[in-house]
Amino acid sequence: QKSTIVQTSAKASRLIVTGSSMLANAMASGAESFQKNTKPNPEPMTFSPAAQDRIRRIHTFTEGAVGLSAKTVGQFSRYAQNFGAKMSGKGERNKPGHDKSGKPDAGYKPG
């Protein structure tokens, strides 16, 4: 006899597998119908030099914003991890032979 946790997790797993399978089938049929009903453009799109320049500027700006965003997330993640470690008591520990302030302990004898 299985526990309720095992039975519930098995049901959840089957639901996820069934749902993802149905979603994949729906996406595949949608892609096929789009391919059948859409005709390619006979001539490629062309952009004026001014439009190309604006696109380059937008690309440069968004590239910088993405870099700044990644740095911010990295910093925040680091601070959050350090904060969590300190709150759980897993922060920096004293080295052997040193007191809480980090100064060498005169009465320490190794071994």
Side-chain angles (χ1 to χ4, degrees):
Q1 180 174 337
K2 296 179 183 177
S3 69
T4 56
I5 294 174
V6 173
Q7 289 176 346
T8 306
S9 62
K11 286 180 187 177
S13 177
R14 284 193 299 270
L15 178 67
I16 290 170
V17 168
T18 304
S20 61
S21 174
M22 290 173 61
L23 183 62
N25 289 339
M27 288 173 66
S29 69
E32 285 178 19
S33 67
F34 177 79
Q35 247 181 341
K36 287 178 186 173
N37 298 332
T38 306
K39 303 289 183 237
N41 197 0
E43 56 189 65
M45 291 180 66
T46 56
F47 295 98
S48 68
Q52 290 177 357
D53 186 46
R54 283 192 296 272
I55 291 169
R56 271 192 209 92
R57 281 193 214 152
I58 291 169
H59 173 70
T60 304
F61 174 74
T62 55
E63 191 175 39
V66 165
L68 180 65
S69 170
K71 287 178 188 174
T72 305
V73 167
Q75 287 288 93
F76 179 76
S77 165
R78 196 177 95 223
Y79 287 124
Q81 189 174 18
N82 289 341
F83 178 74
K86 285 180 183 173
M87 292 303 289
S88 67
K90 295 184 180 182
E92 293 183 17
R93 297 205 169 97
N94 294 337
K95 294 179 184 175
H98 293 76
D99 60 8
K100 290 187 179 186
S101 63
K103 296 178 183 172
D105 186 10
Y108 176 74
K109 295 179 183 175

